[in-house]
Structure formats: C-alpha cells, structure tokens
C-alpha cells in the first residue's frame, strides 16, 4: 500500500469532512445568483443556501472529530461489528484496492455508452458484458464470450422484441 | 371504523387476486427470495434494477411487485444464514448464532421451517397492525398543517441519518447531501431552475434511478468485485426435513410472539433497521429464557425470535410510508419514488384517494407471505443449488440490466452518464465510510420538506417559533432535540469509556 493510501486510511474523517465542506460551500457558491428572500417569503435560493451551509458545518464537525480521534479513541459499537462481520463473511480480501476490477466496471459502462451511441445495442451489450466479466479474475475469454452471447439473446428477445424498446441493434439499422 | 377496515380489506383482497396483480406479486416474491439467497446482490439493488420495468405497469402491480422483492428477500436471507453460517444480509447475523449449530446437529431443515413459520406469523401481525393503524394515522395527518408536516419530516430525516450504522455525523451529512440533490431542477414555487449547471436534462431534477443504481448497483459491485467468496454447501435439505417436531414448535411459540412485538415496536421508530430489531429480540429472549445456557448452541428460540422481529419490523415499516408519505429507510424511499414516477403523490391522502393501491398492497402482503411459506419449504433444495452460481457471472449480467434499465427510463444517454457519476461517487463514499442509505431519504423528502417549511413560514409571517407553538409539531421538534442530545450523550460516554480503557491499559503496561 502506498504512503498516500495509508495517509487517507488514517485520516478518513478528515478527508470526509473536507469533502463535505467543499460540497456545501460549492452549493452556496453555485446558488449565489438565486434570490434568497426573507424567512417569511423565501426565494428559490433560501433553502439550498441554508442546506449548503449546514453541510459545510457538518463537514467542519466531522473533520474536527478526526483530530480528536488521534487521542486514541476507538469508536466501536457491537452492532457495527456484526455488520462488518456479515460483510466480511461474504467478502474475502478485506479492503485491498482492486484496480483491475474497478477499472473494468467503470470502463464497461463507458464502453456501453460509446458503443451504443455509434454502433448500436448489440455491440454495446457485448462490450459491456465482456469488459465487466474481465474484472473478475475467474473469467476466461470463453466464459466472457458465452455470457455476452446470453445477454445479447436476452436483449433481443426481451427488450427489443417483447418490450419493443426503441433502440437500434446495429449501426446500419 | 373497524367494520370499515374489514370492508376495505375485502376490497383489497379482490384487487390483489386480480390475475395481473397476483402474477406480479408472485414474480416479486420469487425474485426477492432469489436475491436474498444470492451473495452480492441485495433487495435494494434488485428493486432498483426492476424499477424501470414498472413504468409500463399499472401503479398497483408496480407497488405489489417492488414490495414483494423487499419481504421476499428476507425469507431467502435466512437460508444461507442457517445452513452455512453466512449472514449475507446483516439482519440475519443473529439467526446464525443458533441456526448454524442446529444445522450441525442435523436440525437445519427444522430451523428453516421454524424460521419460515415465525416469519409468516410476524408478517401477519404486522399486516393487522397496518390495517388498523395506517388509516387512523392518515386521518389524523390530514388535519396537519405545514408546520406539523415539517416537524415530522425533520424527525424522520434526523432519525434516519443519525441512527444508521456508523458515524452519526456522517449519516446526517449524507441526509443533507440528499436534500441538496433534491433541490436540483425547477423550483415549484417560483419556476426558477436551480443547479442545472446549464444541462437541459437536469432541469427535471436528478434521476432517482441513476442515484439508486449508481450507488447501490455500480458502487456495490466496485466494493465486491473479486471479493465474493464462492459458496457451496454439502447440506442436503429436502421438503420433509423442513418440518419441525412438536417440541421445537412448542419451544418457539412464545419467542415468536415476543419477537413479533419487539419488531413491531421498532417498526414505529423511523431510522431503526431490521438489524437492531433482530438484535434486541434476541437479547430479550436470552433474558427471559429458562435455559439461557442453550443460546448459541442451537436454541430454537434464538432462531424464531429475531426472525419474527425483523419480519414484523419490515411490515410495520410500511405504516409511516403509506399513511404519512414519510419513508423510514431507503427501500421505502424507493417505493415512494416509484409511486411518484407513476404520478401518485404520497402523503396522508393516499389511502383515501388511491384505496386500491393501499388495500391491494396490504392484501398482497398476506398472499405474498403465504406464497413464500408454501413455496419455500419444498423449494429449499433448489435455493441451495442457486447459492453455487458464481459471482463472476452474476455481476456482469447485473451490469447489463443496470445499463439497459437506466436507458429505458427516458431513452436518454445522459442518464447513463449520470449513473456512472453516482457509481463513482458511491465508491468514494464507501471508501470514506459514509453510510449511503440516508442519501435517498434526503432526496425523496427534500422537495417536500422545503415546500412545507416555506408554507409554514409564510403562514406564520416568518416566525420560527410557530414550530414550537403548535402542539403536534412541538412534540416532534422536542423529539428532534432529544435525538440530538441522546446522540451527543452516547458519543461522550463512548469517549469517556475509551479514555478510561486507554488509561487502564497504560497502567497495566507500566506495571508490567
């Protein structure tokens, strides 16, 4: 694990807090042109301004909590442990970064959007299923291809033929 | 009034037995059971995935199906918990404690049987409660003004945010983030477009489906990819094995009733979840049992009570959702979202204005639960087989259904990009340990809470104190304050304890 990852792991609350401050302030900045009005007659900007401000304040509190945490305070609740155990029971490998899986999942979605736009639904479905399948180490070219063909069949039979969804199957349609 | 409830319920059974509605209920509970058994897919993901399908359906059928997935998944989750000691869904973690020892003793099938029976009994009780409580609450709520509605919603939001698992402040922050998401789009009061960032598609607001499938679909897969263990069980359980014997039935009768009561009590509290209900029911049972030493070694009571508690909680959850339009958890928020997409406004008027939806739903709970009971006992063997479907085939298929489902909503490519963005965001939130559930609550309740707050302030001429002057809203505001105070108290106590522990450990090391 690289040093920056370790730092983030140790200061999760600080990063979280700063993120919330940014989102809150960002919302207030983006809404600066909206009319705020008064409490009695609120304009469209009143509520988002208030909510953005609250979010930024919460961010400050969360970040401050991180600094407190350095005083060696563990925040463990029994119930949380059980949830964590349940998660661990179904997941192996803990919180290790999973770059291959992550890039395949996000990539498969991008592939789907691009192929759908320029080549039609069947290439898009095939691309998405295969790229996503390669995210899991257990899949081979063969299993990925078979899965993609099954999904193509479902696409054509269920979504195109039965539900009559409006999309083109190939680029020449 | 009671007679009226029976007349309405009779009507509801008529609705739920219409062939179309019945078929969708069956579809929902089967899918629910399936995802309950499968690792890596939750009820919420399944509901979000099938949400686009509901656009072509009538509102009644849509709601029956979505709810069916919800309670169906609870039955499925018990199977892997009891037979394999695997709590794929957290609320079944307690069931493992005694369910798995029963499997080791060769009574796993019976444990499942007890589980199904107590689930059914608890659901029935929850439904009866819903029949009588919901119309009464809705009638009361019809007299509420904007100040009262604001108070109730604020309490719901605070409870949902701060009582979800993990860091309470982070939960509240996610609620507030959801409120911000709800602001995007055209302001109903002034017609001004807010936070569209110049994108035409955003003038209609952020898509609920994009958020749901991004955060519970894509982000869930990001968390699970290459990490789901392949499950396989040697246990062979047939139909005959699921019949508990007389002694087991007798031992589980009272725990079943007590669990049901605990669950119903929790159902009335927004923000608490099935896990809490199950835990508490187990703790109660261990206290009152005359053989507490059996707990953890295959006590039937330890299976019956928590299972009953989570099922009654699940049913009672629908009461605030249907009678007030205030969802208690993200699943309920999604169901309300589905109603809104169908053009039906949730709120106290729902029960009278859309009687067929409400009473049809109540009746379908009963038919659905009965179906699950009948279906599950003989099909247990089949469900166990399904556990062996590898995740590596499951999740790419689910990705395809997400993509096509999102596209189907508006036939828009923009929605796909939106889903991807929320998937990334959801992944980031997961890394930073933000609980995602409150986002959806905030997003669904956001526009309503803004609307009611604005109206309340307009009526009171900008006097904030009105929230404390009207009795009902005052009660809820005080409850909000108590909630925050309680959270602060728990936090302080935890800190003191941790500090005391650290000091004690420090002393111990010094002495050694």
């Amino acid at each position: 694990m690289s040093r920056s990852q370790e730092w983030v792991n140790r200061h999760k609350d600080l990063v979280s807090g700063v993120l919330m401050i940014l989102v809150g302030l960002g919302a207030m900045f983006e809404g600066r042109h909206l009319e705020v009005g008064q409490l009695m007659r609120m304009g469209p900007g009143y509520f988002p301004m208030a909510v953005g401000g609250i979010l930024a304040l919460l961010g400050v509190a969360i970040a401050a909590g991180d600094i407190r945490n350095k005083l060696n305070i563990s925040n463990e609740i029994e119930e949380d442990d059980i949830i964590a155990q349940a998660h661990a029971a179904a997941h192996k490998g803990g919180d290790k970064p999973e770059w291959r899986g992550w890039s395949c999942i996000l990539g498969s979605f991008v592939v789907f959007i691009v192929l759908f736009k320029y080549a039609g639904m069947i290439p898009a479905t095939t691309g998405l299923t295969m790229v996503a399948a390669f995210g899991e180490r257990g899949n081979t070219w063969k299993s990925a291809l078979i899965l993609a063909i099954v999904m193509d069949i479902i696409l054509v039979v269920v979504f195109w033929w039965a539900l009559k969804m409006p999309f083109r199957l190939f680029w020449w349609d | 009034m009671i007679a009226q409830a029976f007349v309405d319920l009779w009507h509801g059974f008529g609705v739920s037995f219409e062939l179309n509605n019945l078929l969708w209920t069956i579809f929902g509970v089967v899918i629910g059971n399936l995802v309950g058994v499968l690792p890596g897919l939750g009820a919420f993901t399944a509901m979000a995935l099938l949400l686009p399908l509901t656009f072509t359906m009538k509102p009644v059928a849509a709601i029956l199906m979505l709810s069916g997935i919800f309670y169906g998944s609870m039955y499925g989750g018990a199977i892997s918990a009891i037979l394999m000691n695997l709590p794929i869904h957290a609320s079944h973690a307690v069931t493992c404690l005694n369910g798995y020892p029963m499997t080791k003793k060769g009574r796993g099938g019976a444990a499942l049987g007890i589980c199904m029976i107590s689930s059914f009994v608890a659901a029935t009780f929850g439904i009866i409660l819903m029949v009588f409580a919901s119309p009464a609450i809705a009638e009361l709520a019809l007299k509420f003004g904007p100040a009262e509605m604001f108070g109730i919603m604020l309490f719901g939001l605070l409870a949902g945010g701060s009582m979800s698992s993990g860091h309470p402040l982070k939960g509240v922050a996610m609620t507030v983030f959801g409120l911000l998401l709800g602001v995007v789009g055209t302001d109903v009061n002034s017609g001004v477009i807010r936070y569209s960032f110049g994108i035409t598609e955003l003038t209609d607001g952020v898509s609920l489906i994009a958020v749901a499938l991004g955060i519970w679909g894509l982000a869930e897969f990001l968390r699970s990819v290459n990490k789901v263990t392949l499950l396989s069980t040697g246990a062979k359980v047939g139909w005959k094995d699921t019949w508990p014997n007389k002694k087991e039935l007798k031992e589980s009768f009272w725990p079943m009733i007590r669990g049901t009561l605990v669950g119903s009590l929790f159902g009335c509290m927004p923000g608490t979840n099935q896990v809490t209900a199950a835990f508490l029911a187990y703790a109660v049972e261990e206290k009152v049992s005359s053989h507490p030493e059996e707990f953890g070694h295959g006590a039937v009571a330890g299976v019956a009570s928590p299972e009953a508690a989570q099922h009654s909680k699940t049913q009672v959850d629908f009461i605030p959702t249907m009678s007030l339009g205030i969802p208690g958890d993200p699943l309920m928020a999604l169901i309300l979202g589905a109603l809104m997409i169908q053009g039906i406004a949730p709120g106290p008027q729902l029960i009278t204005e859309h009687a067929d939806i409400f009473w049809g739903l109540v009746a379908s709970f009963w038919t659905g639960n009965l179906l699950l009971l009948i279906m599950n006992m003989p099909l247990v063997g089949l469900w166990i087989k399904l556990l062996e479907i590898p995740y590596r085939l499951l999740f790419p298929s689910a990705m395809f259904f997400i993509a096509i489902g999102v596209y189907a909503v508006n036939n828009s490519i923009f929605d796909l990009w939106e889903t991807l963005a929320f998937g990334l965001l959801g992944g980031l939130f997961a890394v930073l340990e933000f609980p995602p559930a409150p986002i959806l609550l905030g997003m669904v309740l956001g526009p309503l809470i803004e609307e009611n707050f604005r109206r309340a302030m307009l009526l009171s001429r900008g006097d904030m104190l009105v929230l404390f002057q009207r009795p009902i809203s005052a009660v809820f505001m005080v409850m909000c304050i108590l909630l925050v105070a309680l959270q602060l108290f728990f936090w302080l106590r935890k800190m003191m304890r941790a500090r005391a522990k650290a000091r004690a450990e420090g002393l111990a090391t010094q002495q050694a």
Side-chain angles (χ1 to χ4, degrees):
Chain A
M1 208 186 276
S2 73
R3 195 178 282 176
S4 61
Q5 273 166 11
E6 253 173 55
W7 188 87
V8 171
N9 268 344
R10 251 186 302 129
H11 295 278
K12 269 182 185 164
D13 283 355
L14 185 63
V15 179
S16 312
V18 172
L19 182 71
M20 289 300 117
I21 295 171
L22 288 180
V23 174
L25 292 183
M28 291 175 85
F29 177 76
E30 186 61 28
R32 68 194 180 280
H33 301 304
L34 298 169
E35 188 207 328
V36 174
Q38 310 141 331
L39 198 51
M40 184 189 150
R41 207 167 279 280
M42 281 178 243
Y46 197 101
F47 187 73
M49 278 291 177
V51 171
I54 293 172
L55 189 59
L57 285 179
L58 282 168
V60 172
I62 293 170
D66 184 67
I67 293 153
R68 288 222 74 107
N69 261 341
K70 299 287 99 52
L71 299 170
N72 240 342
I73 295 158
S74 64
N75 47 344
E76 275 156 72
I77 315 169
E78 207 176 312
E79 204 182 297
D80 285 347
D81 287 348
I82 296 287
I83 294 173
Q85 273 170 23
H87 187 75
H91 297 76
K92 60 181 179 214
D95 286 335
K96 252 191 286 167
E98 188 53 62
W99 296 111
R100 173 177 166 165
W102 293 344
S103 41
C104 281
I105 288 173
L106 299 174
S108 73
F109 223 69
V110 177
V111 164
F112 178 83
I113 299 173
V114 173
L115 280 179
F116 173 53
K117 210 166 175 180
Y118 298 104
M121 203 54 129
I122 287 186
T125 303
T126 315
L128 169 117
T129 318
M130 290 188 71
V131 174
F134 284 128
E136 279 271 337
R137 294 204 173 79
N139 277 318
T140 57
W141 272 99
K142 206 175 128 194
S143 67
L145 194 66
I146 293 173
L147 192 62
I149 292 171
V150 173
M151 288 305 126
D152 282 332
I153 294 172
I154 294 177
L155 170 80
V156 174
V157 174
V158 178
F159 294 98
W160 185 73
W161 179 75
L163 291 175
K164 296 193 173 48
M165 270 174 58
F167 53 73
R168 46 182 200 162
L169 289 178
F170 286 103
W171 56 94
W172 58 75
D173 273 356
Chain B
M1 206 176 100
I2 290 174
Q4 183 59 34
F6 278 114
V7 173
D8 289 331
L9 190 60
W10 183 250
H11 169 69
F13 273 108
V15 174
S16 79
F17 274 117
E18 278 170 32
L19 187 65
N20 182 40
N21 294 340
L22 189 64
L23 286 177
W24 281 117
T25 308
I26 296 174
F27 179 76
V29 296
V30 171
I31 294 283
N33 210 323
L34 196 74
V35 297
V37 178
L38 289 172
L41 271 183
F44 189 88
T45 314
M47 281 164 71
L49 265 173
L50 291 176
L51 193 57
L53 193 69
T54 63
F55 301 156
T56 55
M57 293 156 60
K58 291 207 183 83
V60 181
I63 297 308
L64 299 197
M65 183 196 78
L66 289 176
S67 316
I69 299 176
F70 180 25
Y71 57 80
S73 74
M74 311 271 306
Y75 280 80
I79 296 175
S80 54
I82 289 175
L83 295 183
M84 273 167 304
N85 205 19
L86 274 181
I88 293 171
H89 305 286
S91 59
H92 294 288
V94 205
T95 314
C96 290
L97 297 178
N98 289 285
Y100 189 60
M102 278 185 78
T103 303
K104 282 202 283 196
K105 282 190 215 160
R107 297 300 297 163
L112 275 178
I114 289 285
C115 205
M116 304 294 165
I117 294 168
S118 41
S119 303
F120 182 73
V121 170
T124 308
F125 182 79
I127 293 163
I128 295 172
L129 210 60
M130 196 177 165
V131 166
F132 295 110
S134 309
I137 293 174
E139 206 175 282
L140 193 69
L142 277 175
K143 298 190 192 98
F144 287 179
E148 283 82 5
M149 286 314 271
F150 175 78
I152 296 175
M153 285 182 197
L154 188 69
F155 179 68
L157 278 180
L158 267 180
S162 65
M163 286 160 91
S164 60
S165 58
H167 196 313
L169 276 181
K170 281 183 167 175
V172 177
M174 283 297 98
T175 315
V176 177
F177 179 72
L179 289 176
L180 271 181
L181 287 182
V183 168
V184 175
T186 313
D187 175 29
V188 280
N189 286 48
S190 60
V192 175
I193 294 162
R194 301 187 288 188
Y195 298 94
S196 74
F197 301 96
I199 300 164
T200 332
E201 282 89 347
L202 280 181
T203 52
D204 287 337
V206 176
S207 155
L208 185 74
I209 296 185
V211 174
L213 284 177
I215 293 178
W216 277 268
L218 292 190
E220 215 21 69
F221 298 146
L222 288 176
R223 271 175 63 165
S224 306
V225 68
N226 281 324
K227 285 179 183 165
V228 173
T229 339
L230 180 62
L231 310 168
S232 127
T233 162
K236 278 207 173 61
V237 181
W239 181 30
K240 285 263 167 60
D241 304 320
T242 56
W243 293 96
N245 59 32
K246 259 207 187 107
K247 183 173 165 277
E248 283 160 341
L249 272 178
K250 213 180 126 205
E251 274 175 16
S252 56
F253 178 75
W254 284 110
M256 213 182 277
I257 305 290
R258 283 188 288 261
T260 305
L261 292 177
V262 170
S264 312
L265 203 69
F266 263 84
C268 310
M269 286 185 224
T272 56
N273 55 20
Q274 273 83 1
V275 188
T276 326
F279 261 89
L280 220 81
Y282 185 80
V284 167
E285 217 44 59
E286 212 176 354
K287 280 256 156 62
V288 301
S289 170
S290 47
H291 304 285
E293 72 283 354
E294 279 176 19
F295 276 71
H297 304 283
V300 194
V303 174
S305 169
E307 283 294 320
Q310 40 183 303
H311 274 266
S312 55
K313 156 85 181 135
T314 303
Q315 296 301 340
V316 177
D317 251 357
F318 279 90
I319 295 178
T321 312
M322 288 293 150
S323 57
L324 296 173
I326 297 177
D329 57 38
L331 286 136
M332 292 294 119
L334 195 72
I335 286 182
L336 282 190
L339 275 176
M340 288 195 245
I341 291 168
Q342 294 269 3
I344 293 162
Q349 76 292 341
L350 181 107
I351 296 179
T352 39
E353 275 176 23
H354 298 279
D356 53 336
I357 292 185
F358 178 76
W359 294 104
L361 181 67
V362 174
S364 91
F365 284 153
W366 207 75
T367 42
N369 273 295
L370 187 65
L371 220 93
L372 282 162
L373 182 67
I374 301 170
M375 181 177 77
N376 261 318
M377 291 175 105
L379 286 184
V380 159
L382 180 75
W383 298 129
I384 295 173
K385 278 262 160 355
L386 278 172
L387 267 168
E388 289 163 25
I389 292 183
Y391 187 70
R392 68 187 163 87
L393 300 181
L394 200 71
F395 105 82
S397 323
M399 286 285 294
F400 161 67
F401 284 106
I402 288 180
I404 191 125
V406 169
Y407 176 73
V409 180
N410 292 321
N411 295 328
S412 120
I413 291 190
F414 177 79
D415 286 5
L416 289 166
W417 288 116
E418 214 179 328
T419 310
L420 186 61
F422 279 109
L424 259 173
L425 198 67
L428 182 67
F429 283 159
V431 169
L432 293 175
E433 291 164 2
F434 278 109
I439 299 178
L440 218 62
L441 284 188
M443 197 179 151
V444 169
L445 281 180
L448 295 171
I449 208 167
E450 181 183 2
E451 169 88 16
N452 280 296
F453 186 55
R454 272 168 125 170
R455 257 196 274 165
M457 288 303 112
L458 193 68
L459 290 175
S460 74
R461 300 181 177 277
D463 183 10
M464 278 275 228
L465 280 177
V466 73
L467 297 174
F468 291 92
Q469 280 157 354
R470 304 190 50 147
I472 293 168
S473 79
V475 167
F476 279 97
M477 294 309 281
V478 169
M479 274 161 75
C480 288
I481 294 169
L482 276 178
L483 192 71
V484 173
L486 219 64
Q487 288 287 355
L488 270 176
F489 169 73
F490 282 135
W491 182 71
L492 276 175
R493 199 180 61 171
K494 215 162 60 188
M495 251 185 32
M496 303 287 250
R497 274 191 189 165
R499 202 172 281 182
K501 202 176 143 200
R503 203 175 293 147
E505 276 168 6
L507 275 177
T509 44
Q510 266 173 17
Q511 280 167 359

